[in-house]
């Protein structure tokens, strides 16, 4: 049953969102303005391709040894949201691009 | 004045309109109607040629031009209006001014607005404000309303996109010498105020502030370093002339004058007590030569001005000051901004009604001379309205008090003085006659039908 609960938490890759202050983004900006931060989260188990299986096989047969390879699809943004602008604590405007995900996928 | 009187005078012969009733049409449609009629379209063409590159007096000296103008006064083109943000707005305004530039002196202080009157009311705006207060549970004395407004905008995709659009355009440095592209910045600002619903834009522009950080944020809303400030401050009348060469700017300024003109007959100091109309006309002036803004980050007094001064006015100093005061010392505009900012307090007011003293300055000032707009007590007006609104809404629950009766009588007074709030033509033109003019054409048609 513990395994089942763990599975339930691992939903398929999808867009999620958080309301955060600009300061919390950790980009070095000081501003109390709130922005919507959209990110990609979830598992990609259903999106395993022949590529991934073959790559795994190559690795286990030690045909690939030194290179860093990733044999599992990864939940990442396929597209990014429009620019976000804000006024900081020193009354200067900044615009940040590609801050937020717009579309997610297993790549 | 003659022309203004003829404006209010008897209308066209009924034969022209198949229904006998002139439904106000927009000027693009009126132009189509005119084009379908050979006599109208040829006169309109003549008038446009008359107006091209000539001043009004030269034009009217020409018999042919004068006849064309007279005939067109009886066409649907004459009382057509435009809608804010309509499709082909510029084309509509061009048509409007092509006739009206011939009709007015051109040098008039106030011009009638080419836009349809705003019908939504004061109550709507307060309802809007109460929605906001419900949205943010942290609406207490400590919260920064301007920051809340920015948050609300950032959480709405459309508002965020267009806000970011003008901010990035207005803060983009072009070169070492050119700080930003003012033209592009203005365009992006106009898009923001045209395409984003007013529940977001008003909130950013007119948020109420209790500390300087908030007021500075409010002042920064339109990125004033690019859209507002300039190396030099032009003379306000020169700036007005520049604005009047542009159909859009001219129309927006005329609309501002129509809707934000300080009125000493109404409780709120606004024409028809319509705050919404005043705030709307203010917001759409942003992004033009006449862009207004807060002059400083003061929390106690709100001072608005375009980027101009009355230096170098010569013998027109008085006219210039009068023009500038419609921004800087306008009780209607100030009350509208404060009422919107404090809108959230309306629901709370029965608990702590304003002391009756606040009514005193207003009662004394009611019969003031039209020139006396040097009114530093306008801050009180908001509380007067608040009290009145709450007293009217919750009147039955409160004990009869002196304030209450005073308040009622003043509200009554206001409605008695201004029974016709639909009048948007210059008051001098005589609103009632204008109305009569619209109703009259029905009569002959009805008679005609009876005879047949």
């Amino acid at each position: 049953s513990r395994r089942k609960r763990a599975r339930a938490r691992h939903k398929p890759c999808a867009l999620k969102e958080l309301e955060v202050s600009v300061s919390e983004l950790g980009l070095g900006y000081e501003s109390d303005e709130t922005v919507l931060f959209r990110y990609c989260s979830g598992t990609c188990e259903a999106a395993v391709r022949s590529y991934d299986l073959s790559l795994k096989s190559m690795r286990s047969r030690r045909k690939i040894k030194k290179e860093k390879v990733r044999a599992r699809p990864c939940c990442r943004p396929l597209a990014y949201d429009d620019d976000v602008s804000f006024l900081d604590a020193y009354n200067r405007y900044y615009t940040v691009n590609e801050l937020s995900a717009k579309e997610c996928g297993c790549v | 004045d003659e022309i203004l009187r003829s404006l209010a005078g008897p209308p066209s012969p009924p034969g022209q309109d198949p229904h006998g009733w002139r439904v106000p049409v927009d000027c693009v449609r009126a132009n189509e109607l005119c084009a379908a009629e050979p006599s109208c379209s040829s006169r309109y063409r003549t008038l446009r040629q008359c107006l091209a590159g000539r001043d009004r007096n030269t034009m009217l000296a020409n018999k042919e031009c004068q006849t064309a103008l007279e005939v067109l006064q009886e066409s649907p083109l004459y009382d057509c209006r435009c809608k804010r943000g309509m499709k082909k707005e510029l084309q509509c305004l061009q048509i409007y001014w092509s006739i009206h530039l011939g009709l007015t002196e051109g040098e008039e202080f106030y011009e009638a607005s080419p836009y349809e009157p705003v019908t939504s009311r004061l109550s709507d705006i307060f309802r809007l404000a109460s929605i906001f207060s419900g949205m943010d549970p942290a609406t207490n004395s400590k919260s920064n309303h301007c920051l809340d407004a920015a948050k609300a905008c950032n959480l709405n995709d459309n508002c965020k996109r267009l806000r970011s659009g003008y901010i990035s355009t207005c803060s983009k440095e072009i070169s070492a010498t050119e700080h930003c592209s003012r033209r592009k910045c203005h365009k992006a600002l106009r898009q923001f105020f045209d395409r984003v619903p007013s529940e977001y834009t008003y909130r950013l522009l007119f948020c109420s502030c209790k500390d300087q950080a908030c007021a500075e944020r409010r002042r920064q809303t339109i990125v004033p370093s690019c859209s507002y400030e300039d190396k030099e401050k032009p003379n306000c009348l020169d700036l007005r002339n520049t604005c009047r060469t542009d159909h859009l700017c001219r129309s927006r300024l005329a609309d501002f004058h129509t809707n934000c003109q300080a009125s000493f007959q109404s409780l709120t100091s606004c024409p028809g007590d319509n705050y919404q109309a005043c705030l709307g006309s203010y917001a759409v002036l942003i992004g033009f030569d006449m862009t207004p803004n807060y002059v400083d980050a003061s929390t106690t007094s709100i001072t608005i001005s375009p980027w101009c001064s009355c230096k170098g006015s010569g013998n027109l100093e008085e006219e210039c000051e009068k023009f500038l005061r419609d921004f800087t010392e306008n009780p209607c505009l100030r009350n509208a901004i404060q009422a919107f900012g404090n809108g959230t307090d309306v629901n709370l007011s029965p608990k702590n009604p304003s002391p009756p003293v606040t009514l005193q300055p207003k009662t004394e000032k009611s019969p003031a001379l039209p020139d006396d707009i040097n009114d530093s007590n306008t801050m009180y007006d908001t509380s007067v309205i608040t009290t009145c609104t709450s007293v009217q809404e919750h009147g039955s629950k409160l004990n009869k008090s002196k304030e209450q009766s005073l308040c009622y009588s003043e509200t009554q007074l206001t409605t008695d003085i201004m029974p016709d709030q639909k009048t948007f033509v210059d008051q001098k033109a005589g609103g009632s006659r204008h109305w009569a003019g619209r109703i009259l054409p029905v009569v002959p048609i009805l008679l005609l039908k009876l005879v047949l």
Side-chain angles (χ1 to χ4, degrees), chain A residues 19 32-36 38 81-83 85 87 91 93 95, chain B residues 147 151 154-155 157 160-161 163-164 167-168 216-217 220-221:
Chain A
E19 284 178 24
D32 290 335
E33 235 177 84
T34 307
V35 291
L36 198 62
R38 291 197 176 104
D81 216 346
D82 305 308
D83 296 354
S85 297
L87 188 70
N91 293 309
Y93 276 112
T95 302
Chain B
L147 197 58
K151 176 181 173 180
N154 283 343
L155 297 185
D157 281 332
K160 183 194 76 176
R161 189 171 54 82
R163 176 175 181 242
S164 168
I167 290 174
S168 57
E216 179 57 20
R217 173 174 275 279
Q220 290 284 351
T221 303

PDB file of all heavy atoms in Angstrom, chain A residues 19 32-36 38 81-83 85 87 91 93 95, chain B residues 147 151 154-155 157 160-161 163-164 167-168 216-217 220-221:
ATOM      1  N   GLU A  19       2.102  31.098  -6.904  1.00  0.00           N
ATOM      2  CA  GLU A  19       2.199  32.550  -6.779  1.00  0.00           C
ATOM      3  C   GLU A  19       3.391  32.856  -5.885  1.00  0.00           C
ATOM      4  O   GLU A  19       3.400  32.477  -4.724  1.00  0.00           O
ATOM      5  CB  GLU A  19       0.924  33.109  -6.134  1.00  0.00           C
ATOM      6  CG  GLU A  19      -0.260  33.150  -7.075  1.00  0.00           C
ATOM      7  CD  GLU A  19      -1.515  33.665  -6.400  1.00  0.00           C
ATOM      8  OE1 GLU A  19      -1.401  34.388  -5.387  1.00  0.00           O
ATOM      9  OE2 GLU A  19      -2.604  33.323  -6.884  1.00  0.00           O
ATOM     10  N   ASP A  32       8.664  43.182  -4.053  1.00  0.00           N
ATOM     11  CA  ASP A  32       7.545  42.506  -3.383  1.00  0.00           C
ATOM     12  C   ASP A  32       6.447  42.120  -4.354  1.00  0.00           C
ATOM     13  O   ASP A  32       5.435  41.556  -3.961  1.00  0.00           O
ATOM     14  CB  ASP A  32       6.927  43.442  -2.322  1.00  0.00           C
ATOM     15  CG  ASP A  32       7.872  43.635  -1.153  1.00  0.00           C
ATOM     16  OD1 ASP A  32       8.711  42.742  -0.933  1.00  0.00           O
ATOM     17  OD2 ASP A  32       7.775  44.672  -0.483  1.00  0.00           O
ATOM     18  N   GLU A  33       6.641  42.456  -5.613  1.00  0.00           N
ATOM     19  CA  GLU A  33       5.589  42.148  -6.584  1.00  0.00           C
ATOM     20  C   GLU A  33       5.402  40.637  -6.701  1.00  0.00           C
ATOM     21  O   GLU A  33       6.373  39.878  -6.654  1.00  0.00           O
ATOM     22  CB  GLU A  33       5.943  42.749  -7.946  1.00  0.00           C
ATOM     23  CG  GLU A  33       4.847  43.638  -8.472  1.00  0.00           C
ATOM     24  CD  GLU A  33       5.189  44.306  -9.782  1.00  0.00           C
ATOM     25  OE1 GLU A  33       5.003  43.667 -10.815  1.00  0.00           O
ATOM     26  OE2 GLU A  33       5.620  45.477  -9.765  1.00  0.00           O
ATOM     27  N   THR A  34       4.153  40.239  -6.851  1.00  0.00           N
ATOM     28  CA  THR A  34       3.846  38.815  -6.978  1.00  0.00           C
ATOM     29  C   THR A  34       3.735  38.446  -8.453  1.00  0.00           C
ATOM     30  O   THR A  34       3.113  39.171  -9.224  1.00  0.00           O
ATOM     31  CB  THR A  34       2.515  38.502  -6.279  1.00  0.00           C
ATOM     32  OG1 THR A  34       2.585  38.992  -4.945  1.00  0.00           O
ATOM     33  CG2 THR A  34       2.243  37.011  -6.255  1.00  0.00           C
ATOM     34  N   VAL A  35       4.339  37.336  -8.827  1.00  0.00           N
ATOM     35  CA  VAL A  35       4.196  36.844 -10.199  1.00  0.00           C
ATOM     36  C   VAL A  35       3.713  35.394 -10.165  1.00  0.00           C
ATOM     37  O   VAL A  35       3.823  34.717  -9.138  1.00  0.00           O
ATOM     38  CB  VAL A  35       5.530  36.926 -10.995  1.00  0.00           C
ATOM     39  CG1 VAL A  35       5.901  38.368 -11.255  1.00  0.00           C
ATOM     40  CG2 VAL A  35       6.640  36.175 -10.287  1.00  0.00           C
ATOM     41  N   LEU A  36       3.185  34.977 -11.275  1.00  0.00           N
ATOM     42  CA  LEU A  36       2.737  33.599 -11.387  1.00  0.00           C
ATOM     43  C   LEU A  36       3.887  32.793 -11.969  1.00  0.00           C
ATOM     44  O   LEU A  36       4.348  33.076 -13.072  1.00  0.00           O
ATOM     45  CB  LEU A  36       1.508  33.548 -12.300  1.00  0.00           C
ATOM     46  CG  LEU A  36       0.656  32.299 -12.215  1.00  0.00           C
ATOM     47  CD1 LEU A  36       0.070  32.125 -10.816  1.00  0.00           C
ATOM     48  CD2 LEU A  36      -0.466  32.377 -13.245  1.00  0.00           C
ATOM     49  N   ARG A  38       4.960  29.335 -13.390  1.00  0.00           N
ATOM     50  CA  ARG A  38       4.436  28.069 -13.903  1.00  0.00           C
ATOM     51  C   ARG A  38       5.611  27.136 -14.197  1.00  0.00           C
ATOM     52  O   ARG A  38       6.588  27.562 -14.816  1.00  0.00           O
ATOM     53  CB  ARG A  38       3.640  28.306 -15.186  1.00  0.00           C
ATOM     54  CG  ARG A  38       2.345  29.056 -14.968  1.00  0.00           C
ATOM     55  CD  ARG A  38       1.449  28.880 -16.187  1.00  0.00           C
ATOM     56  NE  ARG A  38       0.157  29.503 -15.977  1.00  0.00           N
ATOM     57  CZ  ARG A  38      -0.211  30.676 -16.528  1.00  0.00           C
ATOM     58  NH1 ARG A  38       0.643  31.324 -17.291  1.00  0.00           N
ATOM     59  NH2 ARG A  38      -1.410  31.177 -16.301  1.00  0.00           N
ATOM     60  N   ASP A  81       6.606  31.043 -21.239  1.00  0.00           N
ATOM     61  CA  ASP A  81       5.595  32.094 -21.175  1.00  0.00           C
ATOM     62  C   ASP A  81       6.168  33.431 -21.660  1.00  0.00           C
ATOM     63  O   ASP A  81       7.380  33.585 -21.802  1.00  0.00           O
ATOM     64  CB  ASP A  81       5.138  32.231 -19.708  1.00  0.00           C
ATOM     65  CG  ASP A  81       3.664  32.539 -19.622  1.00  0.00           C
ATOM     66  OD1 ASP A  81       3.085  32.905 -20.649  1.00  0.00           O
ATOM     67  OD2 ASP A  81       3.100  32.417 -18.516  1.00  0.00           O
ATOM     68  N   ASP A  82       5.273  34.407 -21.884  1.00  0.00           N
ATOM     69  CA  ASP A  82       5.702  35.749 -22.294  1.00  0.00           C
ATOM     70  C   ASP A  82       6.543  36.395 -21.194  1.00  0.00           C
ATOM     71  O   ASP A  82       6.575  35.932 -20.060  1.00  0.00           O
ATOM     72  CB  ASP A  82       4.486  36.629 -22.554  1.00  0.00           C
ATOM     73  CG  ASP A  82       3.532  36.017 -23.548  1.00  0.00           C
ATOM     74  OD1 ASP A  82       3.980  35.630 -24.632  1.00  0.00           O
ATOM     75  OD2 ASP A  82       2.331  35.926 -23.216  1.00  0.00           O
ATOM     76  N   ASP A  83       7.154  37.504 -21.550  1.00  0.00           N
ATOM     77  CA  ASP A  83       7.978  38.249 -20.592  1.00  0.00           C
ATOM     78  C   ASP A  83       7.157  38.682 -19.376  1.00  0.00           C
ATOM     79  O   ASP A  83       5.952  38.891 -19.473  1.00  0.00           O
ATOM     80  CB  ASP A  83       8.525  39.518 -21.251  1.00  0.00           C
ATOM     81  CG  ASP A  83       9.459  39.202 -22.404  1.00  0.00           C
ATOM     82  OD1 ASP A  83       9.761  38.018 -22.604  1.00  0.00           O
ATOM     83  OD2 ASP A  83       9.869  40.149 -23.102  1.00  0.00           O
ATOM     84  N   SER A  85       7.272  41.721 -16.403  1.00  0.00           N
ATOM     85  CA  SER A  85       7.917  42.953 -15.943  1.00  0.00           C
ATOM     86  C   SER A  85       7.470  43.286 -14.538  1.00  0.00           C
ATOM     87  O   SER A  85       6.355  42.949 -14.143  1.00  0.00           O
ATOM     88  CB  SER A  85       7.565  44.114 -16.862  1.00  0.00           C
ATOM     89  OG  SER A  85       8.046  43.884 -18.151  1.00  0.00           O
ATOM     90  N   LEU A  87       8.316  46.211 -11.003  1.00  0.00           N
ATOM     91  CA  LEU A  87       9.029  47.363 -10.427  1.00  0.00           C
ATOM     92  C   LEU A  87       9.729  46.864  -9.174  1.00  0.00           C
ATOM     93  O   LEU A  87       9.100  46.199  -8.348  1.00  0.00           O
ATOM     94  CB  LEU A  87       8.013  48.454 -10.075  1.00  0.00           C
ATOM     95  CG  LEU A  87       8.559  49.809  -9.625  1.00  0.00           C
ATOM     96  CD1 LEU A  87       9.221  50.534 -10.781  1.00  0.00           C
ATOM     97  CD2 LEU A  87       7.437  50.672  -9.055  1.00  0.00           C
ATOM     98  N   ASN A  91      12.473  51.286  -7.287  1.00  0.00           N
ATOM     99  CA  ASN A  91      11.687  51.942  -8.341  1.00  0.00           C
ATOM    100  C   ASN A  91      12.322  51.870  -9.725  1.00  0.00           C
ATOM    101  O   ASN A  91      12.274  52.815 -10.491  1.00  0.00           O
ATOM    102  CB  ASN A  91      11.393  53.396  -7.959  1.00  0.00           C
ATOM    103  CG  ASN A  91      10.470  53.469  -6.764  1.00  0.00           C
ATOM    104  OD1 ASN A  91       9.423  52.827  -6.748  1.00  0.00           O
ATOM    105  ND2 ASN A  91      10.883  54.206  -5.747  1.00  0.00           N
ATOM    106  N   TYR A  93      12.348  49.446 -13.222  1.00  0.00           N
ATOM    107  CA  TYR A  93      11.608  48.379 -13.888  1.00  0.00           C
ATOM    108  C   TYR A  93      12.561  47.353 -14.481  1.00  0.00           C
ATOM    109  O   TYR A  93      13.620  47.701 -14.986  1.00  0.00           O
ATOM    110  CB  TYR A  93      10.743  48.962 -15.012  1.00  0.00           C
ATOM    111  CG  TYR A  93       9.410  49.506 -14.541  1.00  0.00           C
ATOM    112  CD1 TYR A  93       9.134  50.860 -14.575  1.00  0.00           C
ATOM    113  CD2 TYR A  93       8.421  48.635 -14.081  1.00  0.00           C
ATOM    114  CE1 TYR A  93       7.901  51.352 -14.166  1.00  0.00           C
ATOM    115  CE2 TYR A  93       7.189  49.125 -13.668  1.00  0.00           C
ATOM    116  CZ  TYR A  93       6.940  50.478 -13.706  1.00  0.00           C
ATOM    117  OH  TYR A  93       5.726  50.949 -13.298  1.00  0.00           O
ATOM    118  N   THR A  95      12.490  43.534 -16.854  1.00  0.00           N
ATOM    119  CA  THR A  95      11.707  42.564 -17.610  1.00  0.00           C
ATOM    120  C   THR A  95      12.510  41.268 -17.685  1.00  0.00           C
ATOM    121  O   THR A  95      13.693  41.294 -18.010  1.00  0.00           O
ATOM    122  CB  THR A  95      11.428  43.093 -19.032  1.00  0.00           C
ATOM    123  OG1 THR A  95      10.738  44.338 -18.911  1.00  0.00           O
ATOM    124  CG2 THR A  95      10.557  42.128 -19.816  1.00  0.00           C
TER     125      THR A  95
ATOM    126  N   LEU B 147       0.538  47.726  -4.863  1.00  0.00           N
ATOM    127  CA  LEU B 147       1.207  46.435  -5.002  1.00  0.00           C
ATOM    128  C   LEU B 147       0.175  45.337  -5.274  1.00  0.00           C
ATOM    129  O   LEU B 147       0.394  44.452  -6.107  1.00  0.00           O
ATOM    130  CB  LEU B 147       1.988  46.125  -3.721  1.00  0.00           C
ATOM    131  CG  LEU B 147       3.073  45.047  -3.787  1.00  0.00           C
ATOM    132  CD1 LEU B 147       4.120  45.375  -4.827  1.00  0.00           C
ATOM    133  CD2 LEU B 147       3.726  44.869  -2.421  1.00  0.00           C
ATOM    134  N   LYS B 151      -0.171  42.846  -8.490  1.00  0.00           N
ATOM    135  CA  LYS B 151      -0.340  41.400  -8.341  1.00  0.00           C
ATOM    136  C   LYS B 151      -1.526  40.920  -9.169  1.00  0.00           C
ATOM    137  O   LYS B 151      -1.425  39.947  -9.920  1.00  0.00           O
ATOM    138  CB  LYS B 151      -0.547  41.057  -6.863  1.00  0.00           C
ATOM    139  CG  LYS B 151      -0.833  39.589  -6.603  1.00  0.00           C
ATOM    140  CD  LYS B 151      -1.046  39.311  -5.126  1.00  0.00           C
ATOM    141  CE  LYS B 151      -1.508  37.877  -4.919  1.00  0.00           C
ATOM    142  NZ  LYS B 151      -1.724  37.557  -3.504  1.00  0.00           N
ATOM    143  N   ASN B 154      -0.535  40.851 -12.718  1.00  0.00           N
ATOM    144  CA  ASN B 154       0.408  39.776 -13.042  1.00  0.00           C
ATOM    145  C   ASN B 154      -0.251  38.406 -13.088  1.00  0.00           C
ATOM    146  O   ASN B 154       0.226  37.502 -13.760  1.00  0.00           O
ATOM    147  CB  ASN B 154       1.543  39.734 -12.009  1.00  0.00           C
ATOM    148  CG  ASN B 154       2.570  40.820 -12.239  1.00  0.00           C
ATOM    149  OD1 ASN B 154       2.627  41.405 -13.313  1.00  0.00           O
ATOM    150  ND2 ASN B 154       3.372  41.102 -11.221  1.00  0.00           N
ATOM    151  N   LEU B 155      -1.334  38.247 -12.340  1.00  0.00           N
ATOM    152  CA  LEU B 155      -1.988  36.944 -12.304  1.00  0.00           C
ATOM    153  C   LEU B 155      -2.992  36.767 -13.436  1.00  0.00           C
ATOM    154  O   LEU B 155      -3.573  35.707 -13.606  1.00  0.00           O
ATOM    155  CB  LEU B 155      -2.688  36.721 -10.949  1.00  0.00           C
ATOM    156  CG  LEU B 155      -1.760  36.695  -9.713  1.00  0.00           C
ATOM    157  CD1 LEU B 155      -2.542  36.359  -8.470  1.00  0.00           C
ATOM    158  CD2 LEU B 155      -0.623  35.692  -9.905  1.00  0.00           C
ATOM    159  N   ASP B 157      -3.299  36.771 -17.442  1.00  0.00           N
ATOM    160  CA  ASP B 157      -2.384  36.649 -18.579  1.00  0.00           C
ATOM    161  C   ASP B 157      -2.412  37.841 -19.525  1.00  0.00           C
ATOM    162  O   ASP B 157      -1.367  38.324 -19.949  1.00  0.00           O
ATOM    163  CB  ASP B 157      -2.681  35.359 -19.356  1.00  0.00           C
ATOM    164  CG  ASP B 157      -2.075  34.140 -18.669  1.00  0.00           C
ATOM    165  OD1 ASP B 157      -1.054  34.307 -17.967  1.00  0.00           O
ATOM    166  OD2 ASP B 157      -2.628  33.036 -18.827  1.00  0.00           O
ATOM    167  N   LYS B 160      -0.942  40.944 -17.722  1.00  0.00           N
ATOM    168  CA  LYS B 160       0.498  40.762 -17.541  1.00  0.00           C
ATOM    169  C   LYS B 160       1.249  40.973 -18.858  1.00  0.00           C
ATOM    170  O   LYS B 160       2.266  41.662 -18.894  1.00  0.00           O
ATOM    171  CB  LYS B 160       0.775  39.344 -17.021  1.00  0.00           C
ATOM    172  CG  LYS B 160       2.232  39.086 -16.729  1.00  0.00           C
ATOM    173  CD  LYS B 160       2.525  37.614 -16.551  1.00  0.00           C
ATOM    174  CE  LYS B 160       2.559  36.894 -17.880  1.00  0.00           C
ATOM    175  NZ  LYS B 160       2.926  35.484 -17.781  1.00  0.00           N
ATOM    176  N   ARG B 161       0.703  40.414 -19.933  1.00  0.00           N
ATOM    177  CA  ARG B 161       1.378  40.494 -21.225  1.00  0.00           C
ATOM    178  C   ARG B 161       1.467  41.944 -21.712  1.00  0.00           C
ATOM    179  O   ARG B 161       2.520  42.416 -22.116  1.00  0.00           O
ATOM    180  CB  ARG B 161       0.611  39.651 -22.247  1.00  0.00           C
ATOM    181  CG  ARG B 161       1.296  39.467 -23.585  1.00  0.00           C
ATOM    182  CD  ARG B 161       0.548  38.434 -24.428  1.00  0.00           C
ATOM    183  NE  ARG B 161      -0.874  38.765 -24.570  1.00  0.00           N
ATOM    184  CZ  ARG B 161      -1.343  39.637 -25.468  1.00  0.00           C
ATOM    185  NH1 ARG B 161      -0.522  40.244 -26.290  1.00  0.00           N
ATOM    186  NH2 ARG B 161      -2.633  39.888 -25.533  1.00  0.00           N
ATOM    187  N   ARG B 163       1.064  44.700 -19.878  1.00  0.00           N
ATOM    188  CA  ARG B 163       1.819  45.536 -18.939  1.00  0.00           C
ATOM    189  C   ARG B 163       3.306  45.362 -19.211  1.00  0.00           C
ATOM    190  O   ARG B 163       4.056  46.335 -19.334  1.00  0.00           O
ATOM    191  CB  ARG B 163       1.490  45.130 -17.493  1.00  0.00           C
ATOM    192  CG  ARG B 163       2.310  45.888 -16.453  1.00  0.00           C
ATOM    193  CD  ARG B 163       1.883  45.544 -15.035  1.00  0.00           C
ATOM    194  NE  ARG B 163       2.647  46.291 -14.065  1.00  0.00           N
ATOM    195  CZ  ARG B 163       3.438  45.728 -13.146  1.00  0.00           C
ATOM    196  NH1 ARG B 163       3.558  44.417 -13.085  1.00  0.00           N
ATOM    197  NH2 ARG B 163       4.097  46.486 -12.297  1.00  0.00           N
ATOM    198  N   SER B 164       3.694  44.102 -19.318  1.00  0.00           N
ATOM    199  CA  SER B 164       5.092  43.823 -19.599  1.00  0.00           C
ATOM    200  C   SER B 164       5.479  44.412 -20.958  1.00  0.00           C
ATOM    201  O   SER B 164       6.598  44.887 -21.130  1.00  0.00           O
ATOM    202  CB  SER B 164       5.273  42.314 -19.571  1.00  0.00           C
ATOM    203  OG  SER B 164       6.492  41.978 -20.088  1.00  0.00           O
ATOM    204  N   ILE B 167       6.061  48.151 -20.347  1.00  0.00           N
ATOM    205  CA  ILE B 167       7.206  48.377 -19.456  1.00  0.00           C
ATOM    206  C   ILE B 167       8.515  48.101 -20.180  1.00  0.00           C
ATOM    207  O   ILE B 167       9.453  48.902 -20.120  1.00  0.00           O
ATOM    208  CB  ILE B 167       7.086  47.531 -18.167  1.00  0.00           C
ATOM    209  CG1 ILE B 167       5.952  48.070 -17.286  1.00  0.00           C
ATOM    210  CG2 ILE B 167       8.406  47.529 -17.399  1.00  0.00           C
ATOM    211  CD1 ILE B 167       5.644  47.230 -16.067  1.00  0.00           C
ATOM    212  N   SER B 168       8.573  46.985 -20.906  1.00  0.00           N
ATOM    213  CA  SER B 168       9.833  46.691 -21.589  1.00  0.00           C
ATOM    214  C   SER B 168      10.091  47.693 -22.707  1.00  0.00           C
ATOM    215  O   SER B 168      11.236  48.113 -22.904  1.00  0.00           O
ATOM    216  CB  SER B 168       9.849  45.252 -22.107  1.00  0.00           C
ATOM    217  OG  SER B 168       8.766  45.021 -22.952  1.00  0.00           O
ATOM    218  N   GLU B 216       4.872  56.277  -4.761  1.00  0.00           N
ATOM    219  CA  GLU B 216       5.901  56.304  -5.791  1.00  0.00           C
ATOM    220  C   GLU B 216       5.616  55.213  -6.833  1.00  0.00           C
ATOM    221  O   GLU B 216       5.766  55.435  -8.032  1.00  0.00           O
ATOM    222  CB  GLU B 216       7.289  56.124  -5.173  1.00  0.00           C
ATOM    223  CG  GLU B 216       8.447  56.111  -6.160  1.00  0.00           C
ATOM    224  CD  GLU B 216       8.556  57.363  -7.034  1.00  0.00           C
ATOM    225  OE1 GLU B 216       7.988  58.414  -6.671  1.00  0.00           O
ATOM    226  OE2 GLU B 216       9.180  57.269  -8.109  1.00  0.00           O
ATOM    227  N   ARG B 217       5.174  54.063  -6.363  1.00  0.00           N
ATOM    228  CA  ARG B 217       4.792  52.990  -7.277  1.00  0.00           C
ATOM    229  C   ARG B 217       3.649  53.449  -8.191  1.00  0.00           C
ATOM    230  O   ARG B 217       3.653  53.185  -9.387  1.00  0.00           O
ATOM    231  CB  ARG B 217       4.395  51.749  -6.464  1.00  0.00           C
ATOM    232  CG  ARG B 217       3.819  50.620  -7.265  1.00  0.00           C
ATOM    233  CD  ARG B 217       3.596  49.392  -6.404  1.00  0.00           C
ATOM    234  NE  ARG B 217       4.796  48.577  -6.278  1.00  0.00           N
ATOM    235  CZ  ARG B 217       5.202  47.706  -7.218  1.00  0.00           C
ATOM    236  NH1 ARG B 217       4.493  47.541  -8.313  1.00  0.00           N
ATOM    237  NH2 ARG B 217       6.292  46.990  -7.057  1.00  0.00           N
ATOM    238  N   GLN B 220       4.911  55.728 -10.758  1.00  0.00           N
ATOM    239  CA  GLN B 220       5.731  55.009 -11.735  1.00  0.00           C
ATOM    240  C   GLN B 220       4.917  54.162 -12.703  1.00  0.00           C
ATOM    241  O   GLN B 220       5.474  53.611 -13.657  1.00  0.00           O
ATOM    242  CB  GLN B 220       6.719  54.085 -10.994  1.00  0.00           C
ATOM    243  CG  GLN B 220       7.831  54.796 -10.251  1.00  0.00           C
ATOM    244  CD  GLN B 220       8.918  55.313 -11.171  1.00  0.00           C
ATOM    245  OE1 GLN B 220       8.936  55.012 -12.366  1.00  0.00           O
ATOM    246  NE2 GLN B 220       9.825  56.111 -10.627  1.00  0.00           N
ATOM    247  N   THR B 221       3.612  54.035 -12.457  1.00  0.00           N
ATOM    248  CA  THR B 221       2.779  53.124 -13.262  1.00  0.00           C
ATOM    249  C   THR B 221       3.003  53.272 -14.762  1.00  0.00           C
ATOM    250  O   THR B 221       3.131  52.292 -15.473  1.00  0.00           O
ATOM    251  CB  THR B 221       1.281  53.331 -12.936  1.00  0.00           C
ATOM    252  OG1 THR B 221       1.100  53.124 -11.547  1.00  0.00           O
ATOM    253  CG2 THR B 221       0.397  52.371 -13.715  1.00  0.00           C
TER     254      THR B 221
END
